[in-house]
Amino acid sequence: MKNIYIIGVGLIGGSLALDIKKNKPEVVIHGISRKETTLDEALSLKLIDKKATLDDINKADLVIISIPVDATVKLLPTVLDKISDSGLVVDAGSTKKDICKIVEAHPKRRNFLAMHPIAGTEHSGPSAAISGLFEGKTNIVCEVEKTAFKLQEKALKLFVDIGMRIRYMNPEAHDKHIAYMSHLSHISSFMLGKTVIEKEKNERDIFDMAGSGFASTVRLAKSSPEMWTPIFEQNKENVIETLKEYINNLNQFKDLMEKDDFEAVYNEMKNTNHIKQILNGIA
């Protein structure tokens, strides 16, 4: 895979470009974007080697689509139309069901690999790209059996070589699990930020009194609405289900406090401390 084209050279696309280039200096990275300024920035940051357009995709060994998931659903069939028989298209979207469904009957379905590299920050754009972002991270791959074996083998080696673990999952299971593990935390962060902004009218008070706990909890509220609104829309059913369970837990916690049952409050928090062992075990 010598010629790699990245559609969307932001946090994920740009970070993939950095890691791939670091591991394989001989690779030529081509950037594609709707905005010329984005490509200019990506060039100046040395995320890409050359600018390209969709018409150049027939020359690609690998195309990485890293744009909002609603745009991916619209663009993916066109990209597959243009890819050569020996080329592969992958996406990096945080939802998988709609993306897989849109190409299920495409004549070049074998040239597509659905994946979700679980890594990122709250920042966006080419300047947000980070070298080493994917080291030790998980890459969820869906419907791998529908991708030509030789093509999937090359792509998976590329991602393993930059430090990623590969896990296989069907699109429905992916979207259900990721609603709990990622989408809910973003909504929680956005709504915490909203609550504080609405109640603390003095921005100086927010700045002066915000501790590290608040900062870490609300960090995701700085994420791009342009990226996250389509994710919530595509995963609506699963996200609503997680919100119902989360709101129920919040209401139960509130009820315990209203009843002055602080022994139960303690036990709730103590039992939840088990999350430390789970996360430490994974690390």
Side-chain angles (χ1 to χ4, degrees):
M1 292 188 167
K2 296 291 179 66
N3 286 295
I4 297 179
Y5 289 68
I6 299 180
I7 303 175
V9 197
L11 167 64
I12 299 300
S15 297
L16 282 170
L18 285 174
D19 285 356
I20 291 170
K21 191 75 173 179
K22 182 179 179 180
N23 191 56
K24 296 183 179 298
E26 73 279 8
V27 165
V28 180
I29 306 283
H30 306 255
I32 299 176
S33 175
R34 291 177 304 155
K35 298 179 181 178
E36 194 72 18
T37 53
T38 298
L39 294 180
D40 289 337
E41 185 178 1
L43 269 175
S44 68
L45 293 170
K46 297 184 178 180
L47 303 181
I48 61 176
D49 299 306
K50 298 179 180 180
K51 296 181 183 181
T53 69
L54 292 176
D55 291 334
D56 300 317
I57 283 175
N58 64 315
K59 306 168 190 171
D61 298 310
L62 175 67
V63 177
I64 300 172
I65 301 178
S66 182
I67 55 180
V69 290
D70 58 335
T72 299
V73 168
K74 293 175 184 176
L75 186 63
L76 179 56
T78 300
V79 175
L80 272 180
D81 287 341
K82 295 177 180 292
I83 197 73
S84 70
D85 289 340
S86 60
L88 179 68
V89 180
V90 304
D91 84 290
S94 183
T95 59
K96 292 273 74 84
K97 183 179 176 182
D98 286 1
I99 289 171
C100 288
K101 187 172 180 58
I102 199 69
V103 293
E104 63 182 358
H106 195 283
K108 290 185 179 177
R109 176 61 185 83
R110 64 186 294 278
N111 296 83
F112 172 63
L113 183 67
M115 71 177 206
H116 177 198
I118 302 179
T121 72
E122 69 273 24
H123 304 296
S124 57
S127 62
I130 301 170
S131 178
L133 179 65
F134 302 98
E135 179 68 35
K137 301 302 194 314
T138 300
N139 191 0
I140 304 293
V141 175
C142 296
E143 297 186 334
V144 68
E145 71 282 356
K146 295 185 179 181
T147 306
F149 180 75
K150 287 186 177 179
L151 294 178
Q152 60 168 271
E153 190 177 36
K154 289 180 182 179
L156 295 178
K157 184 180 186 306
L158 186 73
F159 297 118
V160 168
D161 285 348
I162 64 172
M164 300 204 80
R165 300 186 299 260
I166 306 297
R167 182 169 177 184
Y168 301 96
M169 199 174 285
N170 67 58
E172 293 77 15
H174 169 276
D175 288 3
K176 183 177 180 64
H177 290 306
I178 210 70
Y180 285 95
M181 302 308 299
S182 173
H183 302 171
L184 179 60
S185 59
H186 280 79
I187 295 172
S188 300
S189 188
F190 276 115
M191 291 304 98
L192 174 59
K194 177 179 186 290
T195 302
V196 170
I197 288 171
E198 288 178 346
K199 295 301 179 181
E200 295 287 347
K201 301 301 184 183
N202 189 324
E203 292 185 7
R204 171 52 64 178
D205 288 343
I206 297 175
F207 180 82
D208 287 342
M209 299 177 68
S212 59
F214 175 79
S216 62
T217 307
V218 82
R219 174 180 66 84
L220 295 177
K222 295 182 281 184
S223 299
S224 165
E226 290 77 15
M227 181 178 78
W228 280 97
T229 303
I231 290 172
F232 297 146
E233 182 178 7
Q234 285 194 15
N235 206 19
K236 174 184 171 181
E237 291 183 8
N238 288 316
V239 169
I240 289 174
E241 184 61 32
T242 65
L243 280 171
K244 286 178 180 177
E245 295 180 36
Y246 185 49
I247 291 167
N248 182 55
N249 280 327
L250 288 174
N251 281 327
Q252 287 181 6
F253 196 88
K254 177 174 71 72
D255 290 343
L256 292 175
M257 293 191 66
E258 288 174 342
K259 294 173 183 176
D260 285 331
D261 191 351
F262 287 96
E263 181 180 354
V265 167
Y266 171 87
N267 288 332
E268 285 281 285
M269 293 189 292
K270 185 66 175 176
N271 291 335
T272 307
N273 277 167
H274 179 58
I275 197 72
K276 290 189 295 185
Q277 281 72 41
I278 295 173
L279 296 177
N280 287 338
I282 292 172

